[in-house]
Amino acid sequence: MEQYESDRPAPARTAAARRGPRGGALLSRRSLLRASAGGALAAGGIGTLSACGIPPAGRTAGGVTTEDHSAKEKVVNFSNWPVYIDVDDSGKRHPTLEDFTRQTGIKVKYTEDVNDNTEFFGKIKPQLAAGQDTGRDLIVVTDWLAARLIRLGWVQKLDPANLPHAFANLAGHLRSPDWDPGRAYSYPWQGVSTVIAYNKKALDGLEVTSVSDLLDNPRLKGRVSFLSEMRDSVGLTLLDMGKDPAKVTDDDYDAAIARLQKAVDKGQIRRFTGNDYTSDLTKGDIAACVAWGGDIVQLQQDSPDVDYVIPEAGWMLSTDNLLIPNKARHKANAERLIDFYYQPRQAARLAAYVAFISPVDGAREELAGIDKEAAENPLIVPTKDVAARAHSFRALSDKEEAAYEAKFAKLTGA
């Protein structure tokens, strides 16, 4: 009998094919992630919590606890995005989940039912609002939705006693977002980088190193794309303007929108895209663009002309996050599963498969034994120097969110 229960079998892919663009798995994952209505990622700034310290409490009054049945019911119900965990060659087994079960005796009911942040929020909102169990012990949602759930008091504060590896090994640049100071309610599952990508052949010797190059170099007119994700495109633009997205004001935001609008008006920006920029980039129809690091890792497997640069001004970082909803029946079991993935060996196995940013210190050394090339790729395991240049968009109020997204939609023609 398998040691975990999967809601549906994942497609059969080897790890190498999983990262390759022909497999398509992570490209689909990126589309799903960014398709969220209002799909903004409200990550916070870089924190400085002691590696072995207990995090401070969050800003809210906290979630609602209930009787924990973990001791008697050796199960954890885990909801995640599709194709966002390791799968063996048969396509039917998740090796890391099976190892967790062997080590703890806790079975994992693993369900790939987070297809869209807003859609998923609609699924769980009625139960959470009514103070009822959602049937889920652990969920993975993107920054902006994690912030909303914490603000509403609909997720439970984590118990440090059950998370020794997580507290010790969480990477420093992810420790204290403004929407969850000290990670009292959440831990990152994986990180997502936003950088500049280019096609070397299409550039024909032209050097691209900054957003200014994308917006202002006439040789790139009509051959540039930006992302349809507001925080990524505006965030990189703000950094290029010397502004911190973690402290963005209305005036800063309007100035960045105006700068992008100028590039649109003169035909410099060809279009705003989801992850469909990847085909234009590999063909050379787009010479340079704002891109997601996970996509670039995949594209480089089969497209040697594709490369990237991390701007000196900085890059945008967001995370997908693990949270325990109110009334979850198996809170301690869920915390043990979070902690399991913060062991460097398990984090490395996951990173080798999904090719997103590992949030775990020590994963690089373990990953080197699995996939040396991946271990040396800062888009998967950022070096300290690269991590120091990571920036995130501050949490927005509901009013700000509506106003900012409306302005961006007008810019992009959405």
Side-chain angles (χ1 to χ4, degrees):
M1 178 181 293
E2 294 185 2
Q3 293 175 301
Y4 71 95
E5 301 172 17
S6 182
D7 190 57
R8 66 173 178 81
R13 295 182 179 93
T14 64
R18 180 65 161 67
R19 289 203 307 272
R22 288 178 296 190
L26 285 179
L27 297 181
S28 298
R29 157 73 186 132
R30 177 57 38 226
S31 295
L32 290 167
L33 176 60
R34 299 295 175 162
S36 174
L41 303 176
I46 296 173
T48 56
L49 186 68
S50 169
C52 296
I54 294 175
R59 300 184 297 176
T60 71
V64 178
T65 59
T66 188
E67 182 182 356
D68 192 351
H69 300 268
S70 293
K72 294 182 179 179
E73 299 176 6
K74 296 294 184 180
V75 66
V76 58
N77 298 296
F78 183 12
S79 285
N80 201 352
W81 297 76
V83 293
Y84 209 19
I85 199 169
D86 55 310
V87 180
D88 72 357
D89 290 351
S90 74
K92 297 180 179 181
R93 306 172 74 93
H94 301 301
T96 55
L97 289 181
E98 292 188 340
D99 282 355
F100 172 76
T101 298
R102 277 192 289 269
Q103 291 180 23
T104 65
I106 300 169
K107 290 186 177 180
V108 180
K109 173 66 175 178
Y110 186 75
T111 308
E112 296 178 322
D113 64 343
V114 188
N115 291 310
D116 173 283
N117 281 295
T118 300
E119 177 188 280
F120 185 69
F121 181 66
K123 288 181 184 179
I124 62 177
K125 179 180 178 180
Q127 294 99 322
L128 291 172
Q132 299 172 352
D133 180 10
T134 66
R136 301 168 176 87
D137 302 306
L138 191 62
I139 61 175
V140 178
V141 297
T142 305
D143 291 344
W144 69 269
L145 182 52
R148 179 184 295 177
L149 292 170
I150 294 170
R151 187 167 63 245
L152 289 168
W154 286 356
V155 293
Q156 298 187 54
K157 186 176 291 187
L158 301 172
D159 184 352
N162 293 329
L163 296 158
H165 294 101
F167 293 150
N169 296 328
L170 175 60
H173 61 286
L174 295 171
R175 283 190 173 270
S176 198
D178 64 353
W179 47 268
D180 185 17
R183 293 287 182 181
Y185 296 89
S186 69
Y187 268 89
W189 174 247
Q190 296 290 285
V192 181
S193 60
T194 304
V195 296
I196 293 173
Y198 56 87
N199 184 304
K200 289 180 282 189
K201 186 175 181 180
L203 287 181
D204 192 26
L206 180 66
E207 185 178 29
V208 171
T209 62
S210 68
V211 169
S212 289
D213 291 331
L214 299 182
L215 295 177
D216 301 328
N217 193 317
R219 290 178 58 187
L220 292 176
K221 183 177 180 179
R223 299 194 296 148
V224 168
S225 68
F226 276 64
L227 292 169
S228 56
E229 166 52 50
M230 180 269 284
R231 282 171 173 79
D232 291 332
S233 287
V234 175
L236 276 191
T237 303
L238 285 166
L239 290 172
D240 192 70
M241 297 168 65
K243 301 293 184 178
D244 185 354
K247 300 176 181 178
V248 62
T249 65
D250 291 350
D251 288 344
D252 292 338
Y253 185 84
D254 289 346
I257 290 291
R259 189 176 183 207
L260 289 166
Q261 185 67 61
K262 182 179 179 181
V264 169
D265 293 343
K266 68 181 182 181
Q268 185 78 7
I269 297 177
R270 179 169 178 162
R271 63 190 184 109
F272 290 82
T273 76
N275 86 302
D276 49 321
Y277 69 86
T278 55
S279 60
D280 286 342
L281 182 63
T282 55
K283 290 185 294 185
D285 293 339
I286 288 293
C289 61
V290 175
W292 289 306
D295 290 344
I296 304 310
V297 173
Q298 298 170 71
L299 294 177
Q300 288 181 320
Q301 303 296 316
D302 288 339
S303 303
D305 288 328
V306 172
D307 209 344
Y308 71 94
V309 63
I310 298 173
E312 283 298 320
W315 54 284
M316 294 302 294
L317 171 67
S318 57
T319 56
D320 293 326
N321 306 278
L322 296 152
L323 301 101
I324 299 175
N326 284 355
K327 298 290 185 176
R329 286 180 60 88
H330 312 106
K331 180 175 183 286
N333 289 347
E335 289 167 337
R336 291 185 71 181
L337 184 57
I338 295 172
D339 199 60
F340 172 82
Y341 280 104
Y342 272 80
Q343 298 176 57
R345 174 65 179 173
Q346 307 307 334
R349 294 170 68 191
L350 182 62
Y353 194 84
V354 302
F356 286 100
I357 296 175
S358 174
V360 179
D361 280 343
R364 176 190 299 275
E365 293 76 14
E366 293 288 347
L367 186 56
I370 301 172
D371 185 334
K372 185 176 180 181
E373 183 179 352
E376 295 174 351
N377 191 329
L379 297 180
I380 298 176
V381 187
T383 62
K384 288 184 178 180
D385 174 64
V386 170
R389 286 186 278 152
H391 295 266
S392 299
F393 217 98
R394 71 169 173 85
L396 299 177
S397 68
D398 291 341
K399 183 178 179 180
E400 287 176 323
E401 180 80 33
Y404 284 21
E405 286 289 357
K407 292 175 181 178
F408 189 69
K410 183 178 180 181
L411 167 73
T412 62

